[in-house]
């Protein structure tokens, strides 16, 4: 299996622009998570899906952030409009059903907003 | 609550020495406690995990101990090597067990 696949690996954009991050989870995984990593706040859970349905979006910082999962093999995280403080590494992760099943991370997208 | 505290934030050891990282948590419903290793510029990767029905688990040079009564668990690395240098994160399952909440990370540096 290729693992969790994220694109792009790096994104540099100007503030005010729309940013879309993409994720393909491991085939057969029921849960998909979006995390943001910064030096100041560590690994923060933004939102997670179960069987393509958003379950908990309490970590989404503002209305500028939105996430979708139109099917079992694809999810997007969108920031519109982007701001410099959104600069971070965004990780997508997935796992199978079962509270104790391991979480598998993608390689992340490093976002820089200037 | 869902907080998990991790200590120390940085740890420097000599090659061959042991390293211990500790996490404490408050959610008594948590029953899954994984540890992740993140090398510079890379993704977090699971290195070991423990479930609440056991007190200790070992895999070669790494081990995890769990004290569910006191709500803390620890990562032990013996005979450290330079390639152990990385950031280590503990985590607990929360939100009914469906999501992982991570500690703040420990930067481990193994010096020659």
């Amino acid at each position: 299996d290729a693992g969790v696949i994220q694109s792009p690996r790096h994104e540099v954009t100007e503030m005010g622009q729309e940013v879309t991050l993409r994720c393909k989870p491991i085939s057969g995984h029921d849960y998909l998570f979006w995390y943001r990593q910064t030096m100041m706040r560590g690994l923060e859970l933004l939102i997670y899906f179960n069987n393509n349905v958003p379950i908990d979006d309490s970590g989404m910082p503002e209305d500028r952030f939105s996430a979708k999962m139109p099917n079992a093999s694809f999810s997007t995280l969108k920031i519109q409009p982007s701001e410099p403080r959104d600069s971070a590494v965004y990780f997508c992760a997935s796992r199978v059903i079962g509270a104790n099943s391991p979480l598998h991370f993608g390689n992340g997208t490093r976002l820089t907003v200037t | 609550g869902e907080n998990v505290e991790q200590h120390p934030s940085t740890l420097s050891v000599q090659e061959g020495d042991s390293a211990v990282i500790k996490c404490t948590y408050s959610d008594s419903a948590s029953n899954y406690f994984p540890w992740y290793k993140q090398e510079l510029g890379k993704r977090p990767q699971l290195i070991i995990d423990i479930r609440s029905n056991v007190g200790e688990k070992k895999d070669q040079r790494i081990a995890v101990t769990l004290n569910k009564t006191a709500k803390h668990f620890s990562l032990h690395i013996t005979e450290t090597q330079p390639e152990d240098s990385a950031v280590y994160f503990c985590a607990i399952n929360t939100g009914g067990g469906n999501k992982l909440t991570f500690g703040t990370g420990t930067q481990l540096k193994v010096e020659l």
Side-chain angles (χ1 to χ4, degrees), chain A residues 11-19 64 79-87 111-114:
Chain A
E11 177 80 33
V12 180
T13 191
E14 293 183 347
M15 67 176 294
Q17 297 298 306
E18 177 179 297
V19 175
R64 299 183 296 105
I79 309 173
Q80 166 63 22
S82 58
E83 297 183 3
R85 60 196 167 116
D86 301 331
S87 297
L111 173 65
T112 303
V113 183
T114 60

Side-chain angles (χ1 to χ4, degrees), chain A residues 1 3 5 15 19 29 31 43 46 49 51 55 57-59 69-70 79-80 84-86 88-90 98 103 110 114:
Chain A
D1 198 317
I5 299 172
M15 67 176 294
V19 175
H29 281 197
Y31 285 83
L43 271 166
L46 301 178
F49 297 81
N51 291 326
I55 302 300
D57 66 354
S58 59
M69 192 166 185
I79 309 173
Q80 166 63 22
R85 60 196 167 116
D86 301 331
V89 179
Y90 291 80
L103 192 61
R110 180 174 295 277
T114 60

Side-chain angles (χ1 to χ4, degrees), chain A residues 50-97:
Chain A
N50 178 22
N51 291 326
N52 315 338
V53 176
I55 302 300
D56 183 352
D57 66 354
S58 59
M60 296 286 260
E62 300 171 32
D63 291 345
R64 299 183 296 105
F65 286 69
S66 62
K68 294 181 179 179
M69 192 166 185
N71 57 62
S73 59
F74 184 65
S75 177
T76 60
L77 178 67
K78 187 175 292 187
I79 309 173
Q80 166 63 22
S82 58
E83 297 183 3
R85 60 196 167 116
D86 301 331
S87 297
V89 179
Y90 291 80
F91 286 103
C92 177
S94 70
R95 65 170 177 83
V96 295
I97 196 167

Side-chain angles (χ1 to χ4, degrees), chain B residues 22-39:
Chain B
K22 183 176 177 179
C23 287
T24 58
Y25 62 98
S26 54
D27 188 349
S28 57
S30 296
N31 59 6
Y32 176 61
F33 308 91
W35 286 88
Y36 283 78
K37 176 183 180 182
Q38 186 178 27
E39 296 177 352

